Amino acid sequence: MYKLVPYASGNFSDSIIRALYHRVVDEGLHSTLFYDGCITSADTFLETMQRIDTHLFILFANAEPAALVWLNRHQMRFMQFHFCVFRKFWGKAAREFAPKILSALVTLEEVGGGYILDSLMGIVPQKNKLACRYVTKWGRVAGCLPLGAYNAQTKESEPALIISFTREDIPEGLEYESLFEGGAG
């Protein structure tokens, strides 16, 4: 059973958010997730997730964190999404829950009704072949940015795929409404 829980003031301690960063590092996922070098420590991860323009969601498989997704760079009616699946959940589980997460996020509604977002956008370095194959299974390639991903290790920008996900990309019959605790929103 999966539950997508938004990080909001008071529902997770700072030490839990820092522990998520350490798990990313321990699993060797940090160099691809924090490709641009903006997040370099548990403290900068926590500070980033606490920004008013950043929205972190933690996917739990039973009581264990299975994935992280955060949204930022809100423009018009879209936001950029960042995705990390912990290694234990790679494969079938991730293929099952990834489109559910994106579907749940792109169908979030305002308190008074109407959708908050029309689309989500991801930028994936083309040299990360695994991530490119993964995200193109449920998102659509909207284009390529020739120098769209900054690589902090090489100090150079590299080609990146632009991935979009809209309500039109939700697979027919996909059950995702129960992903949020207490319903879809």
Side-chain angles (χ1 to χ4, degrees), residues 46-85:
L46 176 65
E47 290 166 11
T48 300
M49 297 307 125
Q50 290 178 334
R51 290 181 50 160
I52 193 147
D53 59 347
T54 301
H55 308 280
L56 171 65
F57 298 83
I58 304 167
L59 181 77
F60 287 90
N62 298 314
E64 182 179 0
L68 307 174
V69 61
W70 67 92
L71 307 176
N72 63 5
R73 298 186 177 105
H74 191 185
Q75 296 182 16
M76 311 288 186
R77 293 181 50 84
F78 76 89
M79 292 184 87
Q80 186 172 347
F81 72 92
H82 309 266
F83 212 95
C84 176
V85 176

Side-chain angles (χ1 to χ4, degrees), residues 59 134 141 169 178:
L59 181 77
Y134 179 66
V141 177
D169 296 314
S178 64

Side-chain angles (χ1 to χ4, degrees), residues 28 34 80 106-107 132 155-156 166 176:
F34 310 126
Q80 186 172 347
V106 82
T107 57
C132 287
K155 298 186 178 5
E156 294 183 9
T166 67
Y176 62 89

